[in-house]
Amino acid sequence: MGFKSFALGVLIRVILIALTAIFGAYLYIQNASVLQGVLFLWILILLSFNLITYTTITNRKISRFLESIRYSDFSSSFTKDSNLGSSFKEMNLSFNEVIEAFKKTRAQKEEQMLFLQIMIQHINTGIISFDSQGKIGVINGAAKQLLQIHQFKDIHDLGKLSKNLLQEVLNLKPSGSFSIKINSDLHLNVQSASFKMEGQSWTLLSFQNIKSELQKNELDAWQNLTKVLRHEIMNSMTPIASLASSLGIILEEDVKENEQGELALEKESFLDLSEGLETIFKRSNGLVDFVNAYRDYTNIPQPELKVFPIKPLFENIRVLLKEDLSKSDIQLICDISPPDMDVIVDQDLIQMILINLIKNAKEAMEKANNRTIMLRAGMDSHSRPFIKVIDHGEGIVPEALEKIFVPFYTTKKSGSGIGLAISRQIMNLHKGNLEVSSIPGEQTVFTLVFK
């Protein structure tokens, strides 16, 4: 019905234009009056303009509707066109409903943005966002209090607090993290995330002062180390003190002086004395070995980082361990993807870790059916290089997975329990990590993750 009303209006205007043109032409021919011709021409122009205006009313409304959305001007409203029919009325109602929906959506987004801003300002973690040019977008109160930088408008202003901090932030990859000591009261842990907003790349940084956590962890570490030292020293010194006391009694009671003034000792007492001294010697050497192992753990040199290809590193390890592994009928398989992969490491220290892990894997595979050890290098989902050492030995029980990195803890009958602790310490010095996963009886994977 609405369409018919609109079509009828168009038809009437077309008929009026046609009749006016015919009548005007007729009068002009009959009277040859230029004035009448001009008059009817103006009437035709007005009628044509009215027709164009009438037929483009829908386009104008759609254009006004789209401009309202484009410029987020939701104050516009569309009146009912009762004279054009019900379809135009429904169109106007639909326009009004859509504008109202946009208005509600914008109000909800503004409420959510306000809530997000309030939440960001009230959390204890420092939050800073900056764009690709370094301009600061969001900075909360915790970040201002933590960093104490006045007029913080650009990420390069971090250099006012610490140039090293600024350099680490600028070099930080998305989803990366690092920790840095600024001063005696400020030790920051920084994490990064990236996102896009309105076509612009942004970086979000979170800052936490982990000084108290580090102090607590340091205290826990010293307490654990003290327990280990006390345990090992008592295990050595208690039998030594007991034996020394027993040997003193033997010397006091069993040594006798003969007529010539010479001291004499019975054979049985001599053998007891000799055995006791040998035991003291062994336990003393054990204690010396323990102290040397502790010294090795606390005196790891700082790595000399250089860009180094993985392939020659793997080949060197293969040559070094070839004879040792062949005696145990174990094959070392190397897999590098991509083949020309490079890492920034201290070659000698990383080689030491890999040799230690491969030897551990060999010892764990004494009864294994699958007698292969795999060295695999590649990139993880965060574009960080990694090296995996995979074996199919007896594995590690879940309760021992983290303990194996504790100094002097070992699951082997022989060994100092210091190798894995030193290996993880070396990876920490590389700003990486040494991780382990194991399915007992199936597979154990040690992973070196680099920055």
Side-chain angles (χ1 to χ4, degrees):
M1 184 65 186
F3 175 75
K4 290 180 179 179
S5 299
F6 178 73
L8 181 61
V10 173
L11 179 61
I12 290 173
R13 284 166 173 79
V14 171
I15 292 172
L16 284 174
I17 292 172
L19 290 175
T20 302
I22 294 169
F23 185 64
Y26 173 75
L27 290 179
Y28 179 75
I29 294 170
Q30 289 293 324
N31 301 323
S33 173
V34 176
L35 182 60
Q36 288 181 349
V38 172
L39 178 62
F40 276 94
L41 181 61
W42 273 107
I43 294 173
L44 282 173
I45 292 173
L46 290 174
L47 289 173
S48 299
F49 181 75
N50 179 265
L51 175 62
I52 293 170
T53 304
Y54 183 77
T55 55
T56 58
I57 187 171
T58 304
N59 291 339
R60 292 200 307 273
K61 288 191 175 186
I62 292 175
S63 177
R64 185 157 64 93
F65 170 73
L66 294 176
E67 284 183 357
S68 298
I69 294 175
R70 178 184 178 187
Y71 297 108
S72 299
D73 179 15
F74 302 131
S75 60
S76 303
S77 63
F78 295 85
T79 58
K80 301 176 182 179
D81 291 314
S82 56
N83 58 332
L84 294 181
S86 60
S87 65
F88 288 89
K89 177 182 177 181
E90 292 172 1
M91 181 181 69
N92 287 338
L93 289 174
S94 298
F95 283 165
N96 289 332
E97 289 175 359
V98 171
I99 286 178
E100 188 65 26
F102 271 106
K103 191 185 298 184
K104 289 181 179 178
T105 301
R106 185 175 69 173
Q108 290 175 352
K109 285 186 176 180
E110 288 176 350
E111 290 175 357
Q112 291 173 356
M113 183 61 69
L114 179 61
F115 172 76
L116 183 61
Q117 289 176 349
I118 293 173
M119 183 178 67
I120 288 175
Q121 293 299 328
H122 280 77
I123 61 177
N124 293 327
T125 301
I127 299 292
I128 295 177
S129 67
F130 62 94
D131 61 17
S132 55
Q133 281 74 44
K135 184 179 178 181
I136 298 296
V138 174
I139 177 169
N140 67 350
K144 293 178 181 178
Q145 185 177 3
L146 199 61
L147 302 175
Q148 293 292 314
I149 298 176
H150 302 291
Q151 301 296 326
F152 199 170
K153 296 181 179 180
D154 191 279
I155 194 63
H156 294 89
D157 290 337
L158 278 176
K160 298 176 182 177
L161 178 65
S162 168
K163 292 183 179 180
N164 290 335
L165 172 61
L166 174 60
Q167 193 62 39
E168 289 284 354
V169 166
L170 295 178
N171 294 335
L172 188 59
K173 296 179 180 178
S175 302
S177 63
F178 68 90
S179 61
I180 182 172
K181 186 177 181 180
I182 306 299
N183 52 50
S184 59
D185 296 322
L186 187 60
H187 195 130
L188 292 176
N189 181 60
V190 184
Q191 293 183 319
S192 168
S194 62
F195 62 96
K196 281 198 171 184
M197 186 170 61
E198 298 179 352
Q200 178 82 310
S201 296
W202 287 81
T203 300
L204 183 69
L205 298 177
S206 64
F207 295 83
Q208 283 184 306
N209 188 1
I210 57 173
K211 178 189 173 184
S212 58
E213 286 80 1
L214 287 175
Q215 287 178 336
K216 181 178 180 300
N217 291 338
E218 184 178 2
L219 179 61
D220 291 341
W222 276 112
Q223 289 176 343
N224 290 332
L225 182 59
T226 302
K227 290 178 182 178
V228 172
L229 292 173
R230 182 182 62 197
H231 175 74
E232 290 295 330
I233 292 173
M234 290 301 294
N235 281 351
S236 296
M237 294 307 299
T238 300
I240 288 176
S242 178
L243 275 173
S245 176
S246 299
L247 295 180
I249 293 174
I250 290 175
L251 290 175
E252 184 179 344
E253 295 182 353
D254 294 349
V255 175
K256 297 178 181 179
E257 186 177 358
N258 57 24
E259 294 178 355
Q260 286 78 24
E262 296 176 345
L263 298 177
L265 182 65
E266 294 182 0
K267 183 177 181 180
E268 184 178 351
S269 299
F270 173 79
L271 293 175
D272 290 340
L273 187 62
S274 177
E275 184 179 353
L277 290 173
E278 185 178 359
T279 302
I280 290 174
F281 174 75
K282 290 180 179 179
R283 292 305 302 167
S284 299
N285 279 343
L287 188 57
V288 170
D289 292 339
F290 170 78
V291 172
N292 287 334
Y294 174 73
R295 181 193 60 192
D296 293 339
Y297 177 70
T298 55
N299 290 324
I300 300 172
Q302 283 293 329
E304 297 180 6
L305 301 180
K306 295 180 182 178
V307 178
F308 193 84
I310 294 288
K311 187 173 181 180
L313 174 64
F314 280 13
E315 287 299 325
N316 192 32
I317 291 174
R318 188 203 296 271
V319 172
L320 286 173
L321 300 178
K322 181 178 180 180
E323 185 175 349
D324 190 26
L325 293 177
S326 63
K327 289 180 180 179
S328 300
D329 192 27
I330 293 176
Q331 183 181 6
L332 181 63
I333 300 174
C334 298
D335 176 39
I336 307 172
S337 180
D340 58 347
M341 177 180 167
D342 293 334
V343 287
I344 303 175
V345 298
D346 185 311
Q347 178 192 356
D348 294 334
L349 292 178
I350 297 302
Q351 181 172 285
M352 184 176 74
I353 293 176
L354 294 176
I355 290 175
N356 181 55
L357 293 176
I358 293 172
K359 286 186 174 181
N360 288 348
K362 185 199 79 169
E363 293 175 4
M365 291 175 59
E366 290 182 1
K367 301 178 181 178
N369 294 323
N370 186 345
R371 306 196 65 75
T372 59
I373 298 174
M374 174 168 282
L375 271 179
R376 176 177 293 161
M379 307 290 286
D380 65 11
S381 58
H382 299 294
S383 299
R384 296 178 303 182
F386 68 82
I387 299 176
K388 294 180 181 288
V389 179
I390 306 170
D391 71 73
H392 304 277
E394 60 186 11
I396 306 168
V397 294
E399 54 269 23
L401 277 178
E402 278 305 314
K403 293 180 181 178
I404 60 174
F405 294 108
V406 175
F408 311 111
Y409 176 88
T410 180
T411 58
K412 297 185 291 185
K413 294 180 179 179
S414 60
S416 63
I418 200 70
L420 289 176
I422 291 177
S423 297
R424 175 169 275 189
Q425 180 72 359
I426 291 173
M427 288 304 300
N428 289 338
L429 292 174
H430 280 79
K431 296 185 179 179
N433 195 19
L434 176 59
E435 303 169 354
V436 62
S437 63
S438 182
I439 303 174
E442 293 185 22
Q443 178 179 274
T444 299
V445 182
F446 282 89
T447 306
L448 286 71
V449 183
F450 300 92
K451 182 180 177 182

